[in-house]
Amino acid sequence: MNRQSPLIPDTLRTLMAEIGPKWGTSVQAHVKLMVQEFSKLLANAPKLGRVSKNIAYGDHARQVLDLYQPEGLDPKQAAPILMFVHGGAFVDGDKDRTSEVYSNVLWYFARHGVIGVNVEFRLAPEFKYPSGTQDIAAAVAWVRAHAASWGGDPDRIYLMGHSAGATHAGHYAGDAKFQPAEGSGLAGLIVVSGRVRAENGPENPNASRVEAYYGTDTDLMAQGSPVTHARPGGGLAGLPVMIAVAEYENPLIDVHCAELFNELSITQRRSPRFVWMAGHNHTSIVSHMNTAEEVLGQNILEFISTGR
């Protein structure tokens, strides 16, 4: 088994630099290209531990998750858990975008002693708001109920979402209407290139996809936006939150993540951990994980360790 993470080659860095400044002109094509190139690279990445695939947490075919268990867990010390929710602009995406992406995220954390959970959820337009939030609620409840049976700590569950996955994750973490009476059950939220403000404005190349999930009611979009719940009295106000964005994002995603940072800073009276990934784009920010570049990964591990 390979235990050495691969370096991102200069040819791929050059490609990222070329498409970065024009990322927003053809988002779906650029996403496809990055997934393709990083899948090739990740084929040589370490995959240490074991995975159990497609465990049901609900009745629908997409209400499933994969469990990544690290090697050599201390039976006397329950391990932290990271739940990952993929993106796809509400209408697309899978927990296994390819055989390498997004499992790379969970393999990275598994080899650092963190139990990983890769979460699938139902998609629009068949399933509209708030189905994604409801699915995350059900998945968190399942993980809390079963964590101890595989050496996990139900009191140290960290929820990580990318793109639209961060919308669902952040909305669940912030809106008490979707949580059990005792609260979200989360130790922290990690937002990576998240659509934390749902909107269908002309600058958003995925506006029609946002509407496929929310419809055109802007009040409903606001209700389902994590940034709304970062204000005083919202569920994110008392929760540790980490935010990461790429240098080259889908239009306005970095702006709205900065808005979330600002709202949390005001509400919590201290700034949350914020990581700006130079040279990266909306897709490479997650697709590069489990390579030799560990800036984001190490920041997340520190966040899990310290709670901020």
Side-chain angles (χ1 to χ4, degrees):
M1 174 65 71
N2 178 30
R3 292 176 177 265
Q4 196 71 29
S5 295
L7 293 168
I8 300 176
D10 291 343
T11 52
L12 183 48
R13 295 277 189 196
T14 299
L15 179 61
M16 291 162 62
E18 288 175 354
I19 69 173
K22 55 186 179 183
W23 181 266
T25 64
S26 186
V27 170
Q28 292 179 47
H30 290 149
V31 168
K32 183 177 179 181
L33 179 59
M34 286 291 98
V35 168
Q36 172 185 298
E37 294 303 313
F38 274 97
S39 291
K40 296 175 187 175
L41 180 64
L42 290 165
N44 297 314
K47 299 171 178 66
L48 307 176
R50 59 192 178 95
V51 58
S52 302
K53 306 280 284 187
N54 295 318
I55 303 168
Y57 68 84
D59 295 331
H60 191 271
R62 287 187 64 91
Q63 291 176 318
V64 294
L65 52 81
D66 298 341
L67 175 65
Y68 290 74
Q69 294 174 273
E71 293 181 333
L73 286 181
D74 183 352
K76 298 178 182 179
Q77 180 68 45
I81 300 165
L82 182 133
M83 298 178 64
F84 177 75
V85 188
H86 67 80
F90 303 103
V91 303
D92 194 10
D94 291 284
K95 60 182 172 60
D96 291 306
R97 179 73 185 245
T98 68
S99 60
E100 302 294 340
V101 178
Y102 299 99
S103 62
N104 63 305
V105 176
L106 294 312
W107 283 125
Y108 175 82
F109 289 105
R111 68 185 178 86
H112 287 86
V114 178
I115 294 170
V117 180
N118 199 2
V119 182
E120 193 59 272
F121 55 90
R122 294 168 296 171
L123 298 175
E126 182 180 2
F127 296 96
K128 297 184 181 296
Y129 175 85
S131 63
T133 305
Q134 292 168 335
D135 286 357
I136 302 309
V140 171
W142 187 95
V143 169
R144 282 186 60 82
H146 293 85
S149 67
W150 21 265
D153 187 344
D155 295 322
R156 285 196 295 163
I157 297 173
Y158 292 83
L159 184 60
M160 173 180 174
H162 173 244
S163 196
T167 314
H168 298 322
H171 184 218
Y172 168 72
D175 194 336
K177 293 195 300 292
F178 298 91
Q179 301 168 4
E182 62 270 23
S184 71
L186 301 175
L189 173 70
I190 302 156
V191 171
V192 179
S193 297
R195 186 164 292 286
V196 294
R197 177 172 289 288
E199 49 81 26
N200 59 345
E203 291 179 86
N204 182 359
N206 285 324
S208 63
R209 294 177 163 211
V210 172
E211 291 177 357
Y213 181 62
Y214 290 97
T216 57
D217 186 340
T218 54
D219 289 338
L220 199 65
M221 293 181 195
Q223 291 174 29
S225 295
V227 70
T228 300
H229 303 281
R231 296 164 186 161
L236 297 184
L239 185 71
V241 178
M242 172 182 163
I243 304 165
V245 297
E247 181 176 0
Y248 304 111
E249 282 289 357
N250 293 6
L252 296 182
I253 277 186
D254 50 350
V255 175
H256 294 149
C257 282
E259 182 184 2
L260 178 63
F261 175 88
N262 183 63
E263 292 286 358
L264 288 169
S265 297
I266 293 170
T267 300
Q268 297 182 348
R269 308 308 299 166
R270 66 188 302 179
S271 60
R273 184 181 290 255
F274 189 95
V275 182
W276 186 77
M277 293 292 289
H280 279 281
N281 55 61
H282 183 72
T283 299
S284 70
I285 194 171
V286 287
S287 297
H288 85 282
M289 295 191 72
N290 213 25
T291 70
E293 182 183 331
E294 294 195 80
V295 173
L296 180 58
Q298 287 298 312
N299 266 277
I300 295 173
L301 288 170
E302 289 174 11
F303 177 73
I304 290 172
S305 175
T306 65
R308 70 164 274 102

